Amino acid sequence: MILAKTALITGISGQDGSYLAELLISKGYEVHGVIRRSSSFNTRRLDPIYKDPHEANTRLILHYGDLADGVSLTNLIRDLQPHEIYHLGAQSHVRVSFEIPEYTAQTTGLGTLRILEAIRASGVQTRFYQASSSEMFGAAPPPQNEHTPFHPRSPYAAAKVFAYWITVNFREAYGLFAVNGILFNHESHRRGETFVTRKISRAVARIRAGLQDKLYLGNLDALRDWGYAPDFVSAMWLMLQQSKADDFVIATGESHSVREFLDLAFDRVRLDWHQFVEVDPRYLRPSEVDHLRGDASKAERVLGWKPSVRFPELVALMVDADIQLLEDELAGRLVGVDRES
Ligand code: NAP
Ligand code: G4F
């Protein structure tokens, strides 16, 4: 009998974690995920693949843990001995990181070190993926690739730079198979509701339905390289299947402004965003990242990776999904999956 590969995913309840769990299960993996204790259910994105643990052949197993709690991570890694570890957990909101910088450094920065130390100290033979970010490039002019120097512009980005280098250091110092995926922004209808793309797509659905009349945003001139999250999680998997551990930029190679996102999103429902959008300074950042546009030619050459969804399609699919979601909510068609403790 061939034993299934096992993977451990931190941040499994987030956008990327949920898509990655689906991908790995479709490839025959047994997937273990770390979730935080929360006073309400925080595993909504896993509903499509969740099975009651009492059922036979459950391939998704959730464990309580926290990036600030090294003991929980060490115990899990030692007990599970996963073949692959995808470390996606983080306080991932850039604006919020200015308000909780110390917590962001604790989880987004030191969380990575805790996992790497757990791997090293336990001697578990595994492959480690670090969710590095294009935010690390910050003020460095585009196009950004694997050789572009980092210039972080937020506590979040500074924490990710630490996590990036500690991953490289454990690779060099201890020979761990540890890689950085430097991913540019990637979105979907599972994107957190306070990131700008999802904030806009949800607002479009609500404004169209007459439930909202204003949308307050910050900097409309920022340019981002926005891709589609399911495309990007397949690059994570590819990085851990290589014979040699290496770091890769993953991006679409195109950048668009928040204004352009607004144009396409409101056009989709034949509305003019100028009538609804107001700038609220509370959404501006003390220091902004003006322009991210990635050069993913190394990933194309080595991994054979290319994005399948481009900007106009991404905007359309997000708006359509939020319209459908709102209609389902209004019709009472949404029933969450209950799970035990
Ligand atoms: P996300 O939706 O915000 O998910 C973050 C995940 O981390 C959630 O599962 C969250 O749990 C978990 N988490 C947060 N704090 C934690 C803690 N203290 N202990 C344990 N788990 C904790 O982020 P995402 O968009 O999926 O991104 C995945 C990773 O890629 C993140 O590290 C992010 O920084 C990085 N990244 C994202 C992008 C992007 O464009 N999406 C680009 C580059 C890099 P809860 O559900 O309980 O909050
Ligand atoms: O959607 P955002 O909050 O994403 P941001 O800051 O680029 O960070 C995301 O992508 C990173 C990869 O580059 C990840 F590492 C990170 O975890 C996260 O997933 O903001 C995008 C742009 C910014 O320039 C922001 O200032 O949109 C601008 N913006 C304008 N109004 C706004 C708003 N952003 C948010 N969240 N909310 C607004 O009202």
Side-chain angles (χ1 to χ4, degrees), residues 67-288:
L67 296 173
D69 179 6
V71 172
S72 65
L73 301 169
T74 305
N75 289 344
L76 260 182
I77 289 168
R78 187 198 54 230
D79 294 349
L80 294 173
Q81 308 217 359
H83 296 97
E84 294 169 10
I85 298 177
Y86 296 88
H87 174 39
L88 312 185
Q91 189 305 91
S92 73
H93 202 285
V94 174
R95 178 70 188 82
V96 172
S97 78
F98 287 97
E99 284 160 43
I100 49 169
E102 189 179 329
Y103 176 77
T104 303
Q106 265 297 337
T107 52
T108 305
L110 287 177
T112 301
L113 174 61
R114 291 188 180 101
I115 295 176
L116 288 166
E117 252 310 286
I119 297 170
R120 187 197 65 76
S122 63
V124 168
Q125 293 303 305
T126 189
R127 293 181 167 212
F128 174 80
Y129 174 88
Q130 163 61 20
S132 283
S133 166
S134 53
E135 278 292 310
M136 301 188 303
F137 296 123
Q144 295 98 358
N145 66 19
E146 292 82 1
H147 303 293
T148 306
F150 300 138
H151 184 150
R153 297 274 286 167
S154 63
Y156 166 81
K160 284 285 185 189
V161 170
F162 169 79
Y164 170 94
W165 280 115
I166 203 68
T167 300
V168 172
N169 178 245
F170 271 59
R171 183 166 76 215
E172 292 174 355
Y174 305 117
L176 259 55
F177 193 107
V179 309
N180 283 288
I182 307 174
L183 272 50
F184 282 63
N185 298 51
H186 45 280
E187 320 292 314
S188 72
H189 68 285
R190 292 189 194 169
R191 184 59 142 150
E193 291 84 350
T194 60
F195 295 96
V196 75
T197 55
R198 187 79 200 286
K199 192 169 163 182
I200 295 171
S201 61
R202 287 181 89 236
V204 167
R206 280 170 164 65
I207 289 169
R208 173 180 173 270
L211 298 172
Q212 184 175 332
D213 54 11
K214 281 276 170 257
L215 168 61
Y216 296 98
L217 295 174
N219 176 14
L220 306 185
D221 297 317
L223 291 147
R224 288 290 181 276
D225 181 330
W226 277 299
Y228 184 45
D231 281 347
F232 281 48
V233 300
S234 50
M236 298 175 185
W237 179 78
L238 284 170
M239 283 180 224
L240 290 198
Q241 312 315 307
Q242 303 304 302
S243 53
K244 177 174 161 280
D246 202 355
D247 306 322
F248 293 92
V249 157
I250 300 296
T252 71
E254 282 177 33
S255 55
H256 299 274
S257 65
V258 175
R259 267 174 221 285
E260 286 174 80
F261 198 102
L262 284 166
D263 282 338
L264 293 189
F266 279 79
D267 271 2
R268 186 90 185 146
V269 296
R270 297 192 170 72
L271 290 173
D272 176 3
W273 62 266
H274 298 90
Q275 292 174 13
F276 304 100
V277 172
E278 278 184 28
V279 171
D280 180 342
R282 96 170 66 173
Y283 298 116
L284 299 175
R285 292 153 189 206
S287 47
E288 173 65 288

